[in-house]
Amino acid sequence: MRVFVVDNGGQWTHREWRVLKYLGVETKIVPNDTPVGGLQDLDGLVLSGGAPRVGVDPSKMGRNGEYLDAFGGPILGICAGHQFMAKHFGGEAAPAKVPEFGKSLLNVREPDVLFEGLPDRFEVWESHNDEVTVLPPGFVGLASSPNCSVQAMRHRSEPIFGLQFHPEVEHTQFGGEIFRNFLKVCENPR
Amino acid sequence: MKFDAEAFIREQVELIRNTVPGRAISACSGGVDSTTAAVLAGRALGDRLLAVYVDTGLMRKDETEDVERTLQALGVNHRILRAADEYFAALRGVSDPEKKRMIIGRKFIELFEREAKAFGAEHLVQGTIAPDWIESGGQLRDRIKTHHNVAGLPADMKLKLVEPLRDLYKDEVRAVARTLGVRVAERQPFPGPALAVRVIGEVTPERVALVREASAIVEDEIQAAASRGLMPLPWQYFAVLVPVQTVGVHGDLRVYGHTVAVRAVESIDGMSATYSKIPHDVLDRISTRITNEVQGVNRVVYDISNKPPATIEWE
């Protein structure tokens, strides 16, 4: 299986690469201005987090919009990748009322393949100044934290997911399981 | 799939052999990363490699002697440079953490270029690991701090870099080190700019001596507590000299002394960390010893920040 990581300038982009590698996936970090044509024959795509402030200036997110429109396979957006996804599909991302850094508690509200086999509440690691404030049409919110209502979302029918927290970080509980669940979707997208 | 240290060693030794046709020097601080890189390069190049250790005057207690023993035991061709005066002179009057890191990085390269020339080497082997270049930033990635071995390199550097550990994190480097039989495999991480980034504010020999003594006590007490089973050994544990003076009372006399912060964290890869839940009795012993044994310190505080939002080191 081949799942690449689009680098949006995150401190943990390389961690995403490592987690995928440890799960036995063929993976590579690619810059976010890679033409979508260069991402063919992949089973999935991860849009990393990063320093760009999606809620203030999404212009540094390169070709993430093209990937969301034309990649065709499963996509997992993390942090900035997740916020950009919301904005791109007609939702909204803006500076968070209470930015979260470090430890937080995830509350899974909607059962989904991404959280299959996991408890309803567990500890996750955060690092964000902006957040999704309005869900895009066609998306459903899956999880929240005490200070952020959209910690996870997905498209109702397409295999497109967004996470505000960081499953790739060691201190996040069940991070590896979340990636494994995403890979199950990549294996069998419909 | 787990990290395969043996396969990694085979690949890297081969790669170094193919990259370095002539001689190379290796920057070796005696820590896990640089020692592992030096041993890998030593396997590939034999006596075409010279490991260079610089005593910057910013090292921990007895560190230079210890590193010398390590390098001897590993049978790596090596050289010890003593350059404390040069470093303190370059750092005089500087308190900005990024400036400190740049000055130290430039000084290292200056010394390494001198050594490389004398040895006839064109390549410089460094123990750069993933967090070093990630945190150093570039393009979209923000610079969290200048790692001297990445962002501290001068643009006109002539040496060609060889960095076999670039894609690894500390836990993976330790696995490689264990497989190679490197005795410092389990040593706690220590920053390249050494105690200069644990003296907040200006770096002087006196202030470095102070944090060195305090750090030795922190290490001593935490290792003792861990070996008695009172706590697990943290991922990293040390002292920081904070540029805050506060009032104390010593023998019925007012004192106005220094503050030391104790930092201890749990991590796997250095990219996220939680502060260690050290038992209060252990903190108590650390505090009492530092305020009694390190002259001029009358207050000890414990840092209870995670990463993020803080970083592990203070600068």
Side-chain angles (χ1 to χ4, degrees):
Chain A
M1 190 158 26
R2 299 171 82 214
V3 177
F4 283 10
V5 178
V6 173
D7 183 9
N8 289 315
Q11 290 291 306
W12 293 323
T13 303
H14 189 266
R15 280 279 332 174
E16 289 152 9
W17 173 83
R18 169 172 160 165
V19 172
L20 289 169
K21 194 174 61 144
Y22 274 42
L23 290 172
V25 173
E26 188 187 330
T27 182
K28 198 171 136 185
I29 298 174
V30 293
N32 73 4
D33 57 359
T34 307
V36 68
L39 301 175
Q40 277 164 358
D41 304 325
L42 298 184
D43 301 290
L45 203 57
V46 173
L47 309 179
S48 87
R53 290 290 307 273
V54 173
V56 184
D57 172 23
S59 68
K60 290 186 180 132
M61 295 296 283
R63 297 183 191 250
N64 278 265
E66 285 177 39
Y67 308 149
L68 288 166
D69 291 336
F71 174 67
I75 296 181
L76 175 63
I78 296 175
C79 198
H82 152 81
Q83 295 160 10
F84 183 86
M85 180 185 286
K87 220 167 161 121
H88 181 77
F89 287 127
E92 196 49 76
K97 273 205 194 71
V98 185
E100 300 170 295
F101 309 110
K103 196 184 294 182
S104 186
L105 186 68
L106 189 76
N107 195 351
V108 181
R109 298 178 178 283
E110 288 291 324
D112 186 71
V113 54
L114 216 50
F115 299 113
E116 215 166 72
L118 306 185
D120 291 344
R121 291 160 80 85
F122 55 95
E123 208 170 87
V124 295
W125 224 241
E126 307 273 356
S127 196
H128 65 112
N129 291 298
D130 299 334
E131 66 181 4
V132 174
T133 49
V134 180
L135 279 172
F139 275 72
V140 53
L142 301 175
S144 62
S145 71
N147 285 319
C148 172
S149 61
V150 187
Q151 280 290 343
M153 63 177 192
R154 72 159 297 167
H155 191 274
R156 281 184 201 280
S157 51
E158 301 294 320
I160 297 181
F161 306 84
L163 298 176
Q164 180 54 69
F165 65 94
H166 290 269
E168 71 275 23
V169 169
E170 284 285 351
H171 282 89
T172 291
Q173 287 182 303
F174 309 113
E177 281 80 354
I178 293 170
F179 271 96
R180 208 170 281 139
N181 286 338
F182 175 65
L183 293 179
K184 275 189 219 154
V185 175
C186 295
E187 225 164 41
N188 196 359
R190 299 290 157 184
Chain B
M1 189 183 81
K2 283 187 78 180
F3 175 67
D4 185 345
E6 274 173 30
F8 177 86
I9 292 166
R10 274 196 305 276
E11 283 162 24
Q12 290 302 323
V13 168
E14 181 71 23
L15 200 63
I16 297 170
R17 240 177 233 143
N18 294 336
T19 323
V20 185
R23 295 179 154 202
I25 64 162
S26 127
C28 191
S29 72
V32 189
D33 309 335
S34 62
T35 308
T36 303
V39 173
L40 277 175
R43 284 220 176 165
L45 306 174
D47 57 13
R48 286 189 286 133
L49 179 81
L50 176 69
V52 181
Y53 167 87
V54 183
D55 180 358
T56 55
L58 304 166
M59 309 309 282
R60 283 168 291 186
K61 209 171 178 177
D62 305 324
E63 190 149 27
T64 298
E65 296 71 20
D66 201 46
V67 173
E68 207 162 1
R69 274 196 299 276
T70 302
L71 290 173
Q72 238 143 27
L74 287 169
V76 178
N77 209 356
H78 64 274
R79 212 168 123 67
I80 309 280
L81 302 181
R82 294 181 202 274
D85 293 347
E86 280 185 60
Y87 277 85
F88 282 117
L91 288 166
R92 190 169 300 139
V94 178
S95 48
D96 178 82
E98 283 299 286
K99 279 195 188 127
K100 285 185 198 174
R101 285 174 171 268
M102 296 301 269
I103 289 169
I104 290 166
R106 262 201 299 276
K107 197 89 214 147
F108 271 126
I109 293 301
E110 206 181 294
L111 296 171
F112 293 146
E113 286 196 319
R114 215 185 289 163
E115 284 307 304
K117 202 169 170 197
F119 187 63
E122 283 181 2
H123 287 82
L124 170 65
V125 180
Q126 295 201 123
T128 305
I129 62 172
D132 299 343
W133 61 260
I134 293 170
E135 292 192 334
S136 291
Q139 287 158 340
L140 274 182
R141 214 176 320 283
D142 199 29
R143 178 172 297 175
I144 308 304
K145 50 184 76 165
T146 297
H147 288 263
H148 70 89
N149 49 332
V150 182
L153 302 174
D156 59 350
M157 187 177 89
K158 286 178 198 72
L159 288 163
K160 292 176 209 141
L161 288 179
V162 178
E163 301 182 313
L165 310 176
R166 250 187 104 77
D167 269 331
L168 304 193
Y169 293 86
K170 192 69 86 181
D171 56 319
E172 297 167 320
V173 180
R174 289 196 206 283
V176 174
R178 276 178 220 127
T179 309
L180 289 170
V182 175
R183 117 185 139 94
V184 294
E186 315 306 327
R187 212 164 177 234
Q188 63 161 317
F190 187 59
L195 297 177
V197 291
R198 292 183 182 170
V199 170
I200 313 304
E202 193 184 350
V203 182
T204 63
E206 297 73 30
R207 289 165 64 77
V208 168
L210 224 139
V211 82
R212 177 182 292 128
E213 288 308 313
S215 247
I217 293 170
V218 172
E219 290 191 24
D220 191 34
E221 286 300 330
I222 286 183
Q223 283 163 5
S227 69
R228 285 203 306 273
L230 297 176
M231 58 181 283
L233 194 65
W235 195 69
Q236 201 173 349
Y237 44 101
F238 53 90
V240 178
L241 181 62
V242 184
V244 170
Q245 280 185 277
T246 69
V247 174
V249 52
H250 284 185
D252 299 326
L253 296 171
R254 172 193 162 97
V255 290
Y256 191 53
H258 297 295
T259 307
V260 161
V262 176
R263 180 81 164 133
V265 297
E266 309 303 330
S267 183
I268 297 285
D269 55 12
M271 293 305 291
S272 60
T274 51
Y275 76 88
S276 300
K277 316 292 188 283
I278 298 180
H280 272 278
D281 287 349
V282 178
L283 286 172
D284 195 341
R285 282 187 62 84
I286 291 172
S287 163
T288 302
R289 277 194 61 194
I290 290 177
T291 47
N292 279 268
E293 295 172 29
V294 185
Q295 230 187 357
V297 178
N298 63 339
R299 192 173 298 271
V300 175
V301 297
Y302 187 51
D303 180 353
I304 53 169
S305 334
N306 297 330
K307 172 184 183 174
T311 58
I312 296 172
E313 299 287 344
W314 277 39
E315 291 196 330

